[in-house]
Amino acid sequence: MGVTIKDIAKETGFSVATVSRVLSNKVGFFSQDTAAVVNAAATKLGYKKNMAATELVTQKSSVIAVIVNSTKTNFSDPIIEGIQQKAAESDKRVIILYAGDHDATSQRRALSTALERPIAGVLLLSVDLFEENLQLLKTAQVPFRFISISFKDSALNYVASDDQQIGYLATKYLIKMGHRCIGLAGIDIESSAHTGKMRLAGYKRALAENNIPLQKNWIQTGNYSYEAGLLAMQNYSNQKCISAVITGSDLVGIGLLNQAAKLHLSIPDDLSLITIDGTYLCRIVQPQLTSVTQDFYHMGYLGAEYLISDQQQNAFTDVKISERESVKKLTL
């Protein structure tokens, strides 16, 4: 059994009430000499404060629950790093729970695990909640915010990239490089989240501004996964006019890259690729992948900051084009 306040009281000769006040740092109720004796005894005996018990009594918590989509993506790590940095600066702690791959039961289990104890709030990383799970979260009366995912409903607070800008920048860049038959691969346009729909809208806007008629088979939908990239490249191989593809994630891009090699297609000589995300994966493949790079660390940091300070507004973080080796400039 762990060391208790009663053990420290017995060791020091002070009352349980005095020891409790010292360990709770309730200044004004004891002298510095008393505090020194109590703290020395606590260290000697190996006392560890039971934060869970304290939070259950006070109904106040320093814990932020981070719920992560289990889809095989590669951008959650820098988001979590940003969250942990802001949490540390604010004397908060972080627990991480996984919500499955768009699975209602797994989502509910993760939410229930978080909500069964006092928490300071919930951050949801690219988690598109089913309606019944969203209602569960809303009725819990705890602050929550989505990260790396946006919604038409502005009341669902989020910090994300501007996905319409992402689609627009990627398409405009390829057009500037001389491409006019441009695919868009691996995006989900059926989800209630705005991500895929907004990237598609930005893509269409850039094509329209440059008088490029969109062909239906240029768009290959998917779930942002490596497998979605493999399938998209297989479909594009039957379309000789495609000269460049925007991929919905770095993993989609690598899927296209590897499938292109199996089809004896060279990147970028036969097909140019620009990915969306810009994580380290773009730099560890050959050729290195040009990307629209998102600031995931800042996204996580800002999301935690807004949650902790109870700011209600939504925010977009910056994106930029990172030029590498997977886009070829065409001569007109």
Side-chain angles (χ1 to χ4, degrees), residues 52-70:
T54 300
E55 290 167 357
L56 284 171
V57 171
T58 63
Q59 290 298 297
K60 293 182 180 179
S61 177
S62 62
V63 174
I64 296 171
V66 177
I67 298 179
V68 183
N69 193 323
S70 297

Side-chain angles (χ1 to χ4, degrees), residues 2-5 8 23 41-50 54:
V3 177
T4 68
I5 288 176
I8 299 172
L23 296 177
T43 301
K44 174 186 172 183
L45 296 174
Y47 172 75
K48 301 291 184 183
K49 188 172 182 179
N50 189 332
T54 300

